[in-house]
Amino acid sequence: LSCCSSVRDLPLFNATALGYSACCGGARKACIMKDNIDEIFKGHRARKLIYRCIREHETYHVEDPDLTCIPSNNLGLLGSPIWNPVPSYRSECNAYKVSRDCARDNKREYCHGSEHCKKRIRKFLDGNHNAITQFCGCVLTPIDCIFENDSGE
């Protein structure tokens, strides 16, 4: 079994996700859920762009040094412990900005003028916007508001 397939069997795995970041034998891997993406974007040109943007989102997590493998390096998902959710929220905030920028910056190349494709990408961008609002807001601690204000966002 591949690393991505093995992690899908964990009890804490979200089967409706479009992607996830896995840990196997100490290595980190960006995984996409092609079946879930295909279900939502079936037969649309937008699908290939969504694959790309989800992979970029998950790669952001893989490269984030503040995330750890839960429950273990041997087999787990990247995140932060429940008693310290700040690293996970920050990582999600930034990863959703990565997938937003990916979709926004590349939709012309992938959609080739198709209005239906652009509409599907807008739906994806709406989901990213909602996630950015959720994960980038000052919902954790006041210190997050300071970081947000300092960065000019």
Side-chain angles (χ1 to χ4, degrees):
L1 280 176
S2 74
C3 177
C4 292
S5 297
S6 297
V7 169
R8 277 190 223 156
D9 294 334
L10 292 174
L12 48 92
F13 182 73
N14 175 3
T16 63
L18 298 183
Y20 56 100
S21 306
C23 306
C24 296
R28 296 172 170 212
K29 179 147 177 66
C31 307
I32 62 170
M33 298 281 287
K34 284 190 173 185
D35 291 346
N36 291 355
I37 295 169
D38 290 349
E39 185 69 29
I40 297 168
F41 298 97
K42 194 179 332 187
H44 297 289
R45 289 180 184 175
R47 188 177 65 222
K48 287 184 181 178
L49 178 56
I50 303 305
Y51 290 160
R52 174 181 171 176
C53 297
I54 295 297
R55 185 164 310 281
E56 287 184 19
H57 173 113
E58 297 306 333
T59 299
Y60 181 88
H61 294 312
V62 166
E63 295 171 353
D64 187 339
D66 292 332
L67 298 183
T68 56
C69 297
I70 299 169
S72 76
N73 277 324
N74 194 37
L75 186 64
L77 289 165
L78 279 171
S80 59
I82 197 162
W83 59 88
N84 182 19
V86 173
S88 283
Y89 268 70
R90 283 207 183 108
S91 192
E92 284 299 345
C93 168
N94 292 324
Y96 275 108
K97 289 177 182 178
V98 166
S99 52
R100 173 201 62 198
D101 294 348
C102 170
R104 187 183 57 208
D105 297 347
N106 295 291
K107 67 182 171 193
R108 279 199 180 110
E109 176 189 341
Y110 282 81
C111 289
H112 305 289
S114 164
E115 286 305 315
H116 188 67
C117 177
K118 290 179 194 172
K119 186 176 178 180
R120 302 301 286 179
I121 298 300
R122 276 193 294 275
K123 183 177 179 183
F124 177 75
L125 287 168
D126 287 346
N128 274 267
H129 174 75
N130 293 339
I132 288 167
T133 301
Q134 175 187 350
F135 290 109
C136 300
C138 303
V139 296
L140 294 175
T141 62
I143 196 78
D144 286 326
C145 298
I146 294 166
F147 287 131
E148 206 168 297
N149 291 335
D150 285 348
S151 65
E153 294 178 10

